[in-house]
Amino acid sequence: MKMRVAVLLAVIAMFCAANAQKCPLDGLMSSLTESVASAVLQKVTLSCITVPSRGYKAECPKGYKVMCCSCTNAGCYWDISNDQTCLCQCAKPISTTVNRIGVIARCCKIAM
């Protein structure tokens, strides 16, 4: 059975190579890809949560990945570590209560 399918695909591929304008395999593959993608996407859900933290890092729960970060102090910038953690890095140490540092992580996971 496998051999028959392989021979059929080889014949179709040769036909497509000889006649590049018309290829029945293109339509078949396109239809198959669309139906499989549609079936998969109907079952997929995106679940996101916000994780605020005082201090220099916020970690996403297990199974979630960091999508974006925000530092609450204007003098700092953020970085993502290991797809799991948001880190705020500041040029100068933050010591006053008014300018206390915080970080917010937006964490998402794809579920089926």
Side-chain angles (χ1 to χ4, degrees):
M1 179 68 178
K2 290 181 184 178
M3 186 62 165
R4 289 180 189 165
V5 171
V7 170
L8 177 62
L9 289 175
V11 169
I12 292 172
M14 286 177 9
F15 174 77
C16 289
N19 188 358
Q21 298 297 322
K22 280 185 156 181
C23 181
L25 189 58
D26 288 345
L28 175 66
M29 291 305 292
S30 179
S31 297
L32 184 61
T33 303
E34 286 177 16
S35 63
V36 169
S38 177
V40 169
L41 289 176
Q42 286 178 359
K43 296 178 182 178
V44 172
T45 59
L46 181 65
S47 173
C48 297
I49 58 172
T50 300
V51 179
S53 176
R54 289 187 178 174
Y56 289 91
K57 71 177 184 174
E59 292 189 49
C60 292
K62 188 174 181 168
Y64 286 81
K65 300 288 183 193
V66 175
M67 296 294 114
C68 64
C69 305
S70 176
C71 296
T72 59
N73 188 292
C76 303
Y77 64 93
W78 57 268
D79 191 19
I80 296 174
S81 173
N82 298 325
D83 290 336
Q84 204 70 25
T85 306
C86 283
L87 300 170
C88 277
Q89 300 178 14
C90 305
K92 298 178 185 176
I94 307 296
S95 57
T96 63
T97 332
V98 176
N99 292 327
R100 193 161 285 173
I101 190 71
V103 60
I104 301 167
R106 186 68 174 163
C107 309
C108 298
K109 71 176 178 178
I110 295 175
M112 292 181 100

